[in-house]
Structure formats: C-alpha cells, structure tokens
Amino acid sequence: MIKEDKSRVTFNLNGTPQTVFASQIRRFSDVLREDLGLKGTKVGCDAGDCGACTILINGEQRYACLTATGQLEGCDVRTVEGLSKNGELTSLQHSFLEEGAAQCGICTPGMLMAAQSLLDQVPHPSEDQVLEALSGVLCRCTGYTKIVKAVINSGQKQTSISSPDAGNAVGSRMVKVDGQKKLTGEELFGADKAPEDSLWLRTIRSPYARARFSLINTEKVLKKYSGLVKVLTADDVPGNNGFGIYPHIKDQPVLAKDHVRFRGEAVAALVGDRESVESVSEEDLNLTWQPLEPVRGLDNALAGNLDPVQSEFPDNTLSRGFVKKCDVEKGFSESHTVAEGIWTTSAIEHGYIEPEAGFANRIGDRLEIFVCTQTPYMDQSEVAQVLGIDKHQVRIIPSAVGGGFGGKLDMSVQPLVAVASWVLNRPVKCVYTRPESLASTTKRHPVRIRAKAGCSSEGKLTAFEFHGDFNTGAYASWGPTVADRVPIHCTGPYFVPKMLSETKALFTNESPSGAFRGFGTPQAAIAHEALMDTLAEKICMDPLDFRIKNALRKGDHTNTGQLLENSVGQVECLEALKSRWVEWRKAAEEYNQQSAVIKRGVGSGSVWYGCGNTSMSNPSTIQVGINGQGKVTLYNGAMDIGQGANTVMVQICADALGIPASQFDLVMGDTDLTADAGKTSASRQTFVSGKASQLAGECLRAKIIQLAEVSDRATIHIEGEKLIAKDETGEHLIILSDILPQENGDVLTGEGTFDPPTTPLDENRQGSPYATYGFGAQIAEVEVDTSLGTTKVLRIAAAHDVGKTINPTQVEGQIHGGIAQGLGLALMEEYIQEVSENLHDYLMPTVGDMPSIEVILIEDPEPFGPYGAKGIGEHALIPTAPAILGGIKHATGVAIHHLPATPDRVFSEIQQAGNNNANA
Amino acid sequence: MMLNYYRPDNLNDGLVALSENSWTLLAGGTDFYPARVGKHLNEKVMDLTGIRELRSIRETEDQIYIGALTTWTDIVNANLPAAFEGLRKASKTIGGVQTQNAGTICGNICNASPAADSVPNLMALDAKVQLMSVKETRMLPLEEFILGNRKTARKSDEFVTGLIIPHPGKDARGNFEKLGSRAFLVISIAMVGVVAELNESEEIENLNVAVGACSAVSQRLYLLEKEAKGQKLQDLEIKPLHLENLEPIDDIRGTAAYRNAVIPELVMRAVKGVL
Ligand code: FES
Ligand code: FES
C-alpha cells in the first residue's frame, strides 16, 4: 500500500489566503468539509451528477467533488460561506429567501454558487441564461420554478423582508423560520456534524439479489488494517436483529445472517478510522457467496416455482387490501359503456439530494443519535428494540433533512451506528454513498394494475373494478400501507355507486418498496384517469366535463361509504381549470394542423387523498412555552423535511396565541425536548400537527388570559420579562421572571393534542378511514416529437383544494415540487438494480425539464383542520403523470400503459399505432 | 519517498515520470472521481492540469490544433471555423457547466466511452490524435486510436498531447444532434456529428457523418458519405445499407430496435441542420 503523502496547498478561500496540509488527490469537497470545517458545500453523489458541491474556482462554477485538492494551488476559491458578509444576505440569497427557493436547502449552496457565477458576468440574466447556468445542479424539492425566479429577480431592488403582525401569520407569505441558515451554509444536515473522535462506519453489502453467505474470519482483516476497530456482524446486534414499520413485522435484519434477500442488503459493517474502513476491499474480507435463483418481478412472485422470499409467506403475499361497495358485477351489467386496461409502472427512487447520514454516541446507559429522519419517535422505538433497551434510553436528535418524500421514514444508518456505538462505547458516524443509498433504501412500488370502469349513456359512472399487484421487494417496510390505501382511493375523486378493488403486496428479491409520496395512489391514478379519458371519448364527451359530472361533491358517499360533509373542492378545482382547458386544447389542435412531426396535446388528471393514517389513531402533540425572559419557544415534533412544517407550526401557533410569529424560537423534533407529533407522512403535518399547534397556542393564551384576568379578546405583548395583556379594561402586567420556572426554564406553557377522528372499516372495508381529504386537478400541455418519441411538457395548470392556505409560498412550492416528481414518474424515472445505482443513469428532472406552472388555490375549509387547512404534500404529485399521459394521447393518439414513457416506448407505441392504421 | 500524486508543470517532466513509473492520469477529474465513489484514493496519480502548454487551441492555414487539456468551455468560447459547430454544440451538452469547465477533450477520448459526445464530431472532422512519449511522437487517426469500449491505443508511457484536425476550410459547416431522455445532464441515447460542404445550389460537395452510442465505438457512415456527393441536400436518403456498421444494443437508455429506427431521422436532422 502506498503511504498517503500530504503536501501544502495554498489558495485564496473566500478572500483570505488559506493553506491546507492534505493529500492532494483528495476531493476538494472533502478537504473543505473535513479539514477546513466548511460544511456549507454539500455532497450528494461524489460523481458530478447532482451539483450539491458546486463552488467557484477562479470565478467558474466547478464540482468540488471532482476537483483534486492539488489543482487548487494558487486558485481563487469561493464557497457559500463567502457569500454573505457580516450576517447580511446578498441580494441573491435575499431573493432565494423571499421566493421560497430553498425548501430542504440541501441543493441551495450549489444553486447559489452556480447562480452567482452567472450573476458575476450577467447581472440581469434572461431565463435561458439562468437555466443554462443552473443546468448542473439537481433539486428534488422545488421543481426549480422558484429557484429560477429567485435568480432572475435577484438583481431587482430588494425590499426588506417583513414579518406578519400578531394575528396575521396564517395566510401570509411569511419566509421560512429556518430559511436564513439554509442560505448561508450554516444549516446542519445529517453528514454535517459529529464528535471529533467519531469512528467511521462503512457497510458491506450483498452484490447478489439472493444468496447464502459466510463471513468466517475477521481477524485477518483487522490485523491488516490497524485503524480498523471492529467488523460488526449479525451476532453483534444486542437486541432484536430486525426492524420494520409494523409492530408485528420486524423482518429486515440490521445485518443479514447467512442469507441475503436483495442486492444491497447489509451483511457486515466495518468500523474504524475512515481511511482504513474505506481501504478494505471485498477480497480482504473472506466473504463467500453462494448465489441462489432470485424471485424477480411480479410474475415470478405469483408463480411460486422458486422458494418463497420469506419462508413465513409461502405464496409471497405480504398483505392484501380491498374495498367492496355494492355489487360491481351488477354495476357493469347496467353500464352503457365500459373501458378497461392494464398498466405497469417501474421502481422509483426518492432521489433526495442528501444521502442518509448521522452519528450515534453512547453516553452512559443512553444513546444519542443525530440523523436525518422523517420520524424521530418511531426511530427511537426501533433503535431501542434493536439494542434491547428501553426506548427512554434512546434520544433521537434530528438533523436538518435534505429531502425525504417517504424515503426517510424507514431506518437506514440508525440501527448501524446505534449498534456500533453501543457495542464500542464510542461515537460512530456513517454517511451513505450515493450508490449505497440507491441500492439499499426503499423505492416506490412497481405495480401491475388491471382496471375497468363503466358509465351510463349520459356519462355517469356506474361501476369500477381494480386489481393491483404491488412489488414490495424483499422486506415489508410500508407494503401493507400501500396495499391498504390504494383500494380506498383507486377510483379517483369520483362518485362510483358500485365498486370492487383488490390489492396485493408481493415479496420479491428486489429493493424493498416503501413509502413514497402518495403510497401507491400515484400509480393507481394513472389507471383511473386513463379510464376516465377512454370513457369520455367513447361516449363523445369532453374529458374534463366528464370529470366534472362525476366528481365527488358534498353529500356524496365515498367508496368506503363515508359521507362527505365538508371541504370537498373537487368540482371547484376542475371548474377553475375549465377555461384554460378549452383554450389549450384548441390551441394544440390548431398547432397540429400545421405540424406533421411535432404534435401537441393537453391532458388532465385528478386527485383525492386522505390526510393521515388509515382508520388508525395518529395523534400529534405540540407544546409551546414562555420563559422568564420572555422567550417564546415552540417545541415542534413535526419534522420539517423541507416542506416547511417548522414555519407552518409557528404561523398557526402565533395566531392562536396572538403574538407575532417573529417572536418565536423553535426546537424541532428532538425526542428529549419535544412531544410526539407522529411521522411526517400521509400529508398529515399541517392538518394534524397544525391543529395541535393551534390548540397549544390557544391553551397558552387561555392560561395568560386567566392569569392576567383579562377578557378573551385581549391582546398580548411580550417585552422581555414583561407580558402585557390589554383589553377594554386596560393593561394588565405579568412579570414572567416572578413565576417559578419548570425544568426547561419555561414559566408558562401550553400543549395541544389532536387525533383526527376516523372509524374502523368493516368486513367490506366500509367506514370513515380519514377525517378529511384533499382534492385537486391538473392539466398539462405536452409536445411530442413523433419521429423520435421524445416528450416535452410545456405548461401545467394546477388547482388544489387545500382547505385554507397557511402559507401560499410554501403551498406553491409543494405543488411545483410534486409536479416535478410526477413528471419524472411519467417520463423518465426507472430504478433498475445494478444498472441505475448512480444519478446519471437514474434520471430525475433537471431545471430544463420543467414546464411553466400556474397554481390555483381553492379553499373549501375543513372544520377539523387548523384555520380550515388540510394537507397538500402528496396531492400535488398524484395528478401530474396522468395529465401528461393524457396529453401524449391527445397529441399522438397513443395510450402509454408502461411507465415511464421514455422516448423508445413512446416511439414504439406510435409506430405500432401507425402499423395498425396501415393494416386496417 | 515515492509520491502518489504528481503534478508536473511542463510536458517534459511529465513524460520522464511516465517513462519511469506507471501512473493513473488525471485531468478534469470528471471520469476519475465518479469511478471511485466511497473508496480510499491511494493509487499513483499524475495530475496533468499543471501542464499549461497543453491547454491551447491554434489555427493555422492547413490545420487546427486542440491541446489535450482544452476544456469544453474553452471550445465553446473559442473562435473556431463553422465546421466545428457540431463539436461546439456537443461541448455544451456534456454534463453541467461545472463539467464543461473542468472536463477536457482528450480526457473524453481517452475514457473511450461509446457515448462520448465529442467523438462523432471529431471523427467527422477527421481528427488525428497526437501521442507522445520520451521516445517518440506519433499520430493516429481517431478511429484507430479508440479500439473499443473503454479501450484505446495509448501505451502506458504515452500522453495524448492533443488533436490535429486538417483545416476543413471556410465553407464547411458542422452540426450535432443528440437524443436523450432529459434536458440537461444527459447521456446520449444516440448522437450524430456532421461536417458538410455544400455548393451554391445546395448540392453536397463533401459530407462527413459519424454516429455515436450505437456501437462500441462511434462510426463514420462512409457509404452514405460517398453516395451523398453531388446530391441535393433535400433529396438525400438514408438507406439501411448506409447504417450497416452500426450495432446498437439494448440498454437502460433505449432499445436497439429504437436506436435502429431513429438513427436515419437523427442523421437527416443533423445533415439538414448544417444549413
Ligand atoms: S457531490 Fe459533487 S456533483 Fe454531486
Ligand atoms: S430544496 Fe433543492 S433539493 Fe431540497
């Protein structure tokens, strides 16, 4: 082994001369982060695919992860830390903050630097110049729309950012409470913090989809690498070597024992100094593999000719779901027209730009874990059972989360660093590489759907039948949830008198499928919307009118027989799109008259989606406190993963309490410091935790009113230790520092808990599974190059009923981001094991792929929600792919049944249609 | 102590070092680092980026020299003859701007990926590769330099020092068509580089066409080029025989059948686009 030789490299860093003593071949991103402690430059791939590490070298944007440190000699380097001076944001950063261009913020430093390189040359760039300048940075949250706008607007005169007054936070475009630090590089994500003396953990993973293996002798490798401290195997797990979402299914081992079930499964973990653990080769390890024939794909899983993936499930069926409403056969026999089809979709990667990362630190008989997660409280119990300790011995301190989308609901690094730190009594850190993240974490379920719908001659839906087989991969993860949610939603937001839906989650030796924005309903929406289009076409009705005619309305009963009493904005959403629909369809048809090769088309998609868990209690508790010095703190357990829960919770609580939102401090998600606000999933945080936040604010306000003996119309002002409550009888003073504080220093506290009311489902799955539903519709105009099969989405209009908009900027951001992911699902995203384990073979939309987007917000208030609000996170994504596919059909006449609609698939459909026409 | 990183500041020092030891050569890093994600870097690397003399473009009456370390951005910004338009367009589609600012043209050909966007353009320009060792300097046509998928004729003691392109003349024009599944940061499903010369009545005087990502190494379409001479641009027709030396495969970016079906259209667009 060649000894690492270090040298001095001198360069100018953010205006100051800097010398590092480092191996010159090391990636400069690594030297910046680890040696110089500048964590603002992020690493999402180490391969030049994501742009998170973008810095300026001699004024040019460069990927720091592809730059040898030795190349920096004599260069001028700028990083995100060099943008703002003395805490003053630059006009670019200011513009990002105001536009809401940073959601999770993991891409933001790279975006800022890429934009800065352009603005240094061109202070007032055109949109095309901005697109080109940002072409090398991926964002998975924002759909790029607000980023592009922020860059274009950054040259304009800045107004100072104003914060809403008391009582006016809800509904305002308040900037993110945690926005500033996302722009300066100060925000700490999973990989950005760890004790100095942390050991490094690297996981050894299976290269086979299914195999037996043995790892006999680890002494040799420990001897060869003096910095290697431990090779962890299954036998080192002190508690239960299994984890999983469901209390009764802990089927995924932390480290596999003897047998692996998917490529990428962890079999051992190397712990030691980073250089040593990264130097160990597979040969060093004495691993022997005996590959077995894997169960691949749904047909294989159903055929049952191979050993089942998990022996307890002989037919590979993890779970089934269904909903039955009246006699569907009768419904079809009464139908005038029937449409049916089969659709398949591919595995899809969440593609958050932040790979999983964190560290664990054992402190006495407790373990602390700093990690990026969507669900700190669930992590706490999971880690505890893996370690065989009480859950109160585990503290989860969530880092800022660089995107989640459902993928950070399952554990990743948590149990690994936990076991290592617990066993070794040392802090242990782990950062997944991108290939590791892709190979080992969950995906969106691939599915095969068979569906059929019928309508009357007047175009009223009469019957609907749905069968969905979901490939749930090697372990259960969220498979049962998907199998459960889909049958309820599978008709789309339409009234169907008679329906039957059945789903299965099937094990295969593929990546575990888990939770991904929409839990299977985005896949189902492709089928129900295609059926609506076909029925409308068959009875010669306009597709949008058909949808309006059948849309769920107040007073309707859903598939599960739930009476919809409030907040059913589906018809309003569709009607809001009507004039654009007519105009765009006409324009497309006119365009096609004079264009032979390039064809345009306009399609639509609709969504309804229940907010919160299905027929299950899912309470949130939020706390708020004021300390003796008048500091107001919101203890927010509702994880902000970029979507903006921190801001929403503050806005709601501030108005409920009656003080300005700017007076709030925030503690997020720490299991020692906040109450359980459940998971950031199922579009529940604004609705459920938001309500809890409102109740917490009201609770604290009631206490103040009582203490100050004022009327409940009183205004509240906090100035240092003085709290002044003012009503018609005058000013009433409370000296906060006179009140006996509780342990955390707070003298007055409020707490709110909300659990959305649902009912269990009966033997036909009838009942009220959700307290409320979000509704929406989108239309998309696409352009298909019929000679090459390529599709470009030109524009999208999106109308969503959110009950009440707590923060328009954030709701728009959710919709833009959902559309970007829906576009990826429709046109390009397909995860194939072994083949697409990087971000240049796994394609996600870039800044150049986005259409222009118009957002229309409909507010039909939800009485249970905070100020009438309900969720939007998942709703935004669901209608996009159907609208795009409908557009392709309108443009070319071909229906795409196998997703994604890549150029080769679209082309071959067009060819086939051409041949059929020629033969006919 | 033996160094594991060496960054010579002139060609000669580099060549001498290369004659004494075997080194992994590094330039823009855009292929080196992605192949080593999560690995400790401890191989012997010679970083060529200090050899300033290799980063230049020179035009003389009969040829154009492009130094090995010329970046994509250098090409975009250079004032090259119209025949280089295809190469220029290709340079703008390689990775993000960050990649274009770092990646070098000779790194691209040495990496010898079947999907290297520069290659069909350079083939259409009849580029020759200049190789240098302490012992000799030699030149190879690009088509003889790239031997297969990730295989080149470079010997371990040689540097690729640059490309020599016979001057295509003022009237020749270039073009590039790339087919991919997204707008930016996309690896080509197929691409076509063209250099053509037309006379006043839009008849083809000379046509060079190469197709990439449809065989292990980009291929010139010699038969088509021959038959095209004298034809009107509008009348040009691509026949299956013209594409016989292409051997597209099924991969994640597209099927072989699809590639076969769309290549004629892509070639036509590239050729007609020179106008
Ligand atoms: S980390 Fe450098 S491009 Fe992704
Ligand atoms: S804000 Fe861009 S990746 Fe999250």
Side-chain angles (χ1 to χ4, degrees):
Chain A
M1 195 167 80
I2 304 167
K3 188 88 196 77
E4 183 172 330
D5 57 306
K6 296 188 178 183
S7 331
R8 273 173 214 296
V9 182
T10 301
F11 47 88
N12 209 309
L13 179 61
N14 295 323
T16 316
Q18 178 79 51
T19 301
V20 292
F21 185 63
S23 159
Q24 297 182 76
I25 192 61
R26 274 175 60 206
R27 293 177 160 90
F28 187 56
S29 47
D30 195 43
V31 170
L32 272 175
R33 291 175 51 83
E34 303 304 324
D35 299 21
L36 296 170
L38 296 182
K39 307 281 189 183
T41 299
K42 304 301 176 191
V43 171
C45 69
D46 264 346
D49 296 325
C50 76
C53 66
T54 301
I55 58 170
L56 302 189
I57 300 177
N58 297 337
E60 286 186 338
Q61 50 166 315
R62 291 276 297 273
Y63 292 133
C65 75
L66 302 185
T67 305
T69 300
Q71 296 181 350
L72 272 300
E73 183 62 46
C75 289
D76 189 63
V77 178
R78 263 179 105 186
T79 67
V80 68
E81 289 89 351
L83 287 180
S84 58
K85 297 256 156 19
N86 317 322
E88 279 272 302
L89 297 183
T90 63
S91 65
L92 176 64
Q93 289 170 314
H94 188 284
S95 185
F96 263 60
L97 186 59
E98 193 156 85
E99 293 292 342
Q103 285 189 23
C104 78
I106 193 82
C107 72
T108 310
M111 285 289 181
L112 288 169
M113 299 320 288
Q116 192 61 50
S117 73
L118 170 67
L119 294 172
D120 287 345
Q121 310 291 323
V122 188
H124 300 284
S126 68
E127 181 167 339
D128 281 346
Q129 287 174 311
V130 173
L131 296 186
E132 198 169 295
L134 302 183
S135 65
V137 192
L138 294 177
C139 173
R140 192 59 158 168
C141 300
T142 65
Y144 304 96
T145 310
K146 288 184 183 289
I147 295 175
V148 172
K149 193 157 167 233
V151 178
I152 292 175
N153 288 352
S154 73
Q156 284 167 12
K157 219 174 98 57
Q158 311 276 324
T159 48
S160 66
I161 288 172
S162 60
S163 186
D165 307 334
N168 290 323
V170 168
S172 77
R173 289 189 180 266
M174 189 174 117
V175 302
K176 266 182 180 304
V177 293
D178 46 5
Q180 177 132 351
K181 59 186 179 194
K182 293 182 193 286
L183 298 163
T184 55
E186 289 161 286
E187 182 78 295
L188 296 176
F189 294 88
D192 296 342
K193 197 171 114 176
E196 281 281 330
D197 58 338
S198 294
L199 296 172
W200 192 262
L201 182 145
R202 178 186 142 210
T203 313
I204 304 298
R205 297 185 177 276
S206 169
Y208 299 103
R210 185 180 215 181
R212 302 205 153 278
F213 72 95
S214 62
L215 175 61
I216 309 156
N217 185 349
T218 59
E219 264 152 46
K220 229 175 78 198
V221 66
L222 285 165
K223 223 188 242 148
K224 179 167 170 189
Y225 297 92
S226 58
L228 192 61
V229 175
K230 176 98 186 153
V231 181
L232 289 173
T233 65
D235 296 334
D236 294 305
V237 178
N240 177 23
N241 184 17
F243 62 93
I245 302 307
Y246 284 78
H248 62 292
I249 319 177
K250 301 290 173 202
D251 62 344
Q252 183 162 1
V254 177
L255 292 167
K257 192 169 169 66
D258 308 329
H259 179 198
V260 289
R261 295 189 178 84
F262 73 99
R263 178 184 155 87
E265 182 159 1
V267 299
L270 309 173
V271 190
D273 68 50
R274 181 167 164 202
E275 181 179 332
S276 301
V277 302
E278 288 188 344
S279 296
V280 174
S281 69
E282 312 269 309
E283 295 84 75
D284 287 333
L285 275 171
N286 265 326
L287 263 169
T288 51
W289 297 97
Q290 186 198 333
L292 302 168
E293 176 82 18
V295 175
R296 281 198 201 279
L298 291 166
D299 285 334
N300 234 323
L302 288 165
N305 49 351
L306 295 168
D307 284 342
V309 176
Q310 296 199 21
S311 52
E312 309 83 87
F313 298 88
D315 60 355
N316 288 319
T317 305
L318 162 65
S319 73
R320 293 165 194 268
F322 77 101
V323 169
K324 186 170 173 339
K325 182 185 186 186
C326 305
D327 182 352
V328 72
E329 281 314 318
K330 189 156 173 283
F332 279 114
S333 66
E334 290 162 4
S335 299
H336 168 268
T337 302
V338 172
E340 59 190 318
I342 294 174
W343 290 265
T344 61
T345 68
S346 307
I348 293 188
E349 159 63 20
H350 300 87
Y352 26 74
I353 304 302
E354 179 202 31
E356 296 74 4
F359 74 87
N361 194 8
R362 179 171 183 168
I363 299 169
D365 68 348
R366 291 197 81 203
L367 186 80
E368 293 190 353
I369 304 184
F370 175 83
V371 68
C372 54
T373 177
Q374 291 181 241
T375 173
Y377 271 89
M378 204 159 71
D379 286 356
Q380 183 189 33
S381 336
E382 284 278 83
V383 166
Q385 61 100 18
V386 162
L387 295 182
I389 60 177
D390 187 80
K391 81 172 189 186
H392 296 109
Q393 290 172 265
V394 178
R395 175 182 184 182
I396 304 290
I397 306 167
S399 66
V401 182
F405 319 114
K408 290 173 183 167
L409 285 167
D410 292 79
M411 291 207 295
S412 56
V413 300
Q414 294 90 325
L416 295 164
V417 291
V419 170
S421 177
W422 192 253
V423 171
L424 297 170
N425 206 2
R426 293 272 305 269
V428 178
K429 171 175 180 171
C430 177
V431 179
Y432 277 4
T433 63
R434 178 59 63 176
E436 179 176 29
S437 171
L438 285 161
S440 68
T441 65
T442 62
K443 302 285 168 282
R444 181 185 291 287
H445 283 73
V447 64
R448 182 169 55 210
I449 294 169
R450 195 155 48 78
K452 183 167 145 186
C455 69
S456 70
S457 56
E458 290 81 49
K460 281 294 269 182
L461 287 170
T462 45
F464 195 102
E465 192 174 342
F466 179 101
H467 302 271
D469 288 337
F470 288 81
N471 180 341
T472 209
Y475 295 105
S477 179
W478 294 85
T481 311
V482 167
D484 214 27
R485 288 188 86 97
V486 168
I488 296 169
H489 294 102
C490 71
T491 56
Y494 309 109
F495 175 73
V496 183
K498 302 181 176 69
M499 63 83 71
L500 172 70
S501 57
E502 292 175 335
T503 53
K504 267 188 212 153
L506 292 156
F507 283 122
T508 61
N509 290 115
E510 293 174 299
S511 297
S513 300
F516 190 168
R517 221 171 177 177
F519 287 106
T521 56
Q523 295 96 305
I526 288 157
H528 65 64
E529 291 305 288
L531 289 175
M532 296 307 130
D533 282 343
T534 310
L535 286 178
E537 193 183 334
K538 283 190 168 183
I539 62 160
C540 299
M541 199 166 158
D542 175 83
L544 201 77
D545 289 340
F546 185 86
R547 286 170 169 85
I548 293 173
K549 183 161 198 162
N550 288 290
L552 285 166
R553 290 163 163 81
K554 276 178 203 160
D556 280 344
H557 287 86
T558 66
N559 298 328
T560 63
Q562 179 174 357
L563 174 65
L564 295 175
E565 289 177 282
N566 300 295
S567 195
V568 189
Q570 187 62 28
V571 174
E572 287 92 321
C573 289
L574 287 162
E575 274 172 354
L577 296 171
K578 180 80 200 257
S579 60
R580 291 168 188 80
W581 169 260
V582 173
E583 195 186 302
W584 293 13
R585 292 271 282 198
K586 190 160 156 265
E589 282 156 17
E590 277 167 16
Y591 177 90
N592 293 344
Q593 299 272 308
Q594 43 80 35
S595 174
V597 172
I598 310 291
K599 295 286 184 191
R600 289 187 180 168
V602 181
S604 80
S606 290
V607 55
W608 72 312
Y609 190 75
C611 298
N613 295 2
T614 310
S615 288
M616 256 199 291
S617 162
N618 62 129
S620 281
T621 299
I622 300 276
Q623 295 162 334
V624 57
I626 308 177
N627 74 6
Q629 287 70 50
K631 190 175 98 169
V632 184
T633 306
L634 187 74
Y635 301 94
N636 173 28
M639 276 305 300
D640 192 319
I641 58 172
Q643 89 283 27
N646 281 339
T647 309
V648 164
M649 297 307 141
V650 168
Q651 284 180 276
I652 291 171
C653 193
D655 279 9
L657 179 55
I659 66 166
S662 58
Q663 280 195 314
F664 272 78
D665 264 18
L666 189 79
V667 172
M668 180 183 79
D670 184 324
T671 54
D672 270 11
L673 304 178
T674 66
D676 189 352
K679 300 174 277 283
T680 293
S681 73
S683 303
R684 60 179 292 286
Q685 291 299 21
T686 296
F687 175 54
V688 183
S689 300
K691 185 68 188 186
S693 187
Q694 182 185 357
L695 296 172
E698 286 170 0
C699 165
L700 177 54
R701 181 178 169 85
K703 286 187 189 171
I704 292 168
I705 301 268
Q706 199 184 18
L707 199 65
E709 297 178 350
V710 289
S711 81
D712 53 10
R713 286 181 307 279
T715 58
I716 296 171
H717 305 271
I718 302 169
E719 290 159 20
E721 57 174 18
K722 288 194 203 124
L723 187 153
I724 303 141
K726 201 154 93 185
D727 67 2
E728 40 299 340
T729 66
E731 290 192 357
H732 301 253
L733 183 69
I734 299 173
I735 301 296
L736 294 166
S737 54
D738 287 350
I739 306 174
L740 193 66
Q742 56 181 48
E743 211 178 309
N744 66 1
D746 285 342
V747 295
L748 292 170
T749 59
E751 182 175 295
T753 297
F754 177 63
D755 192 359
T758 60
T759 69
L761 300 177
D762 69 12
E763 73 277 7
N764 287 325
R765 309 290 288 164
Q766 296 291 300
S768 298
Y770 307 106
T772 191
Y773 296 82
F775 294 88
Q778 296 178 6
I779 59 172
E781 182 180 29
V782 307
E783 188 171 271
V784 182
D785 183 330
T786 56
S787 294
L788 298 176
T790 50
T791 303
K792 179 153 179 53
V793 185
L794 302 177
R795 50 182 170 170
I796 287 183
H800 288 270
D801 169 22
V802 296
K804 163 79 189 170
T805 310
I806 303 293
N807 187 322
T809 304
Q810 292 201 158
V811 172
E812 289 158 6
Q814 283 302 294
I815 294 174
H816 295 159
I819 286 173
Q821 292 185 354
L823 187 149
L825 163 71
L827 297 182
M828 62 183 84
E829 297 191 36
E830 177 166 29
Y831 179 75
I832 301 174
Q833 272 157 10
E834 209 170 337
V835 180
S836 41
E837 286 170 8
N838 60 61
L839 294 183
H840 54 265
D841 290 311
Y842 186 80
L843 300 184
M844 306 189 289
T846 68
V847 68
D849 294 294
M850 292 304 294
S852 69
I853 299 173
E854 192 185 348
V855 172
I856 302 157
L857 297 179
I858 305 293
E859 296 183 320
D860 187 351
E862 165 50 53
F864 282 121
Y867 300 97
K870 49 191 184 179
I872 181 64
E874 291 158 293
H875 307 79
L877 174 151
I878 296 167
T880 309
I884 291 172
L885 297 172
I888 294 176
K889 177 145 188 238
H890 184 224
T892 62
V894 304
I896 304 295
H897 286 257
H898 182 42
L899 264 60
T902 48
D904 56 348
R905 290 188 185 131
V906 174
F907 181 82
S908 99
E909 289 298 329
I910 292 172
Q911 288 253 299
Q912 241 164 20
N915 290 345
N916 291 348
N917 282 347
N919 292 341
Chain B
M1 190 176 85
M2 202 163 65
L3 291 176
N4 72 353
Y5 175 89
Y6 176 46
R7 188 168 184 245
D9 63 6
N10 68 78
L11 184 55
N12 205 44
D13 287 358
L15 287 173
V16 171
L18 196 59
S19 70
E20 289 165 351
N21 270 299
S22 79
W23 297 87
T24 301
L25 302 184
L26 170 78
T30 57
D31 291 309
F32 175 86
Y33 286 105
R36 290 161 178 79
V37 175
K39 305 229 163 64
H40 181 65
L41 303 168
N42 64 357
E43 63 207 288
K44 283 173 65 71
V45 172
M46 195 188 309
D47 185 336
L48 306 179
T49 54
I51 308 176
R52 294 282 154 83
E53 59 206 272
L54 293 184
R55 187 172 173 182
S56 64
I57 299 179
R58 286 191 301 271
E59 183 176 352
T60 62
E61 222 159 83
D62 51 0
Q63 65 181 40
I64 285 130
Y65 165 83
I66 301 180
L69 297 180
T70 302
T71 65
W72 306 116
T73 302
D74 292 340
I75 289 172
V76 171
N77 293 338
N79 193 7
L80 287 162
F84 285 73
E85 182 57 22
L87 182 63
R88 207 183 76 86
K89 271 194 183 171
S91 303
K92 290 195 84 157
T93 70
I94 293 171
V97 181
Q98 299 90 328
T99 304
Q100 293 158 24
N101 286 338
T104 64
I105 189 155
C106 288
N108 197 231
I109 64 166
C110 288
N111 189 50
S113 156
D117 284 318
S118 69
V119 174
N121 295 291
L122 290 169
M123 280 188 177
L125 285 164
D126 287 321
K128 291 190 185 55
V129 181
Q130 187 183 56
L131 292 134
M132 233 183 245
S133 71
V134 281
K135 292 188 289 246
E136 61 167 351
T137 299
R138 60 181 183 132
M139 298 265 264
L140 281 178
L142 181 57
E143 289 175 85
E144 286 168 37
F145 173 75
I146 303 180
L147 301 175
N149 184 1
R150 315 260 166 197
K151 275 215 299 273
T152 72
R154 186 181 76 83
K155 296 184 206 141
S156 63
D157 66 343
E158 283 178 324
F159 282 152
V160 169
T161 47
L163 296 164
I164 311 274
I165 293 154
H167 205 299
K170 281 198 301 296
D171 298 333
R173 298 206 214 149
N175 194 23
F176 177 64
E177 281 288 336
K178 172 167 177 160
L179 178 58
S181 292
R182 67 176 174 187
F184 293 121
L185 300 176
V186 66
I187 299 174
S188 300
I189 302 171
M191 71 283 201
V192 180
V194 169
V195 175
E197 210 173 317
L198 307 177
N199 65 19
E200 268 129 54
S201 39
E202 283 185 16
E203 282 159 6
I204 298 168
E205 300 253 304
N206 190 39
L207 177 67
N208 293 359
V209 190
V211 176
C214 291
S215 38
V217 184
S218 294
Q219 295 289 321
R220 282 276 291 266
L221 305 183
Y222 287 113
L223 187 64
L224 172 67
E225 295 176 3
K226 206 169 108 201
E227 290 183 5
K229 277 209 180 94
Q231 284 197 46
K232 274 224 182 275
L233 192 56
Q234 299 314 318
D235 302 337
L236 191 68
E237 199 190 316
I238 317 277
K239 303 191 190 105
L241 202 60
H242 296 147
L243 307 173
E244 261 197 349
N245 51 351
L246 301 179
E247 293 169 326
I249 55 167
D250 286 341
D251 67 16
I252 185 173
R253 290 180 270 281
T255 60
Y258 169 66
R259 287 186 165 99
N260 275 323
V262 296
I263 290 164
E265 174 71 17
L266 219 52
V267 171
M268 284 309 287
R269 288 188 191 188
V271 175
K272 289 189 177 156
V274 299
L275 272 185

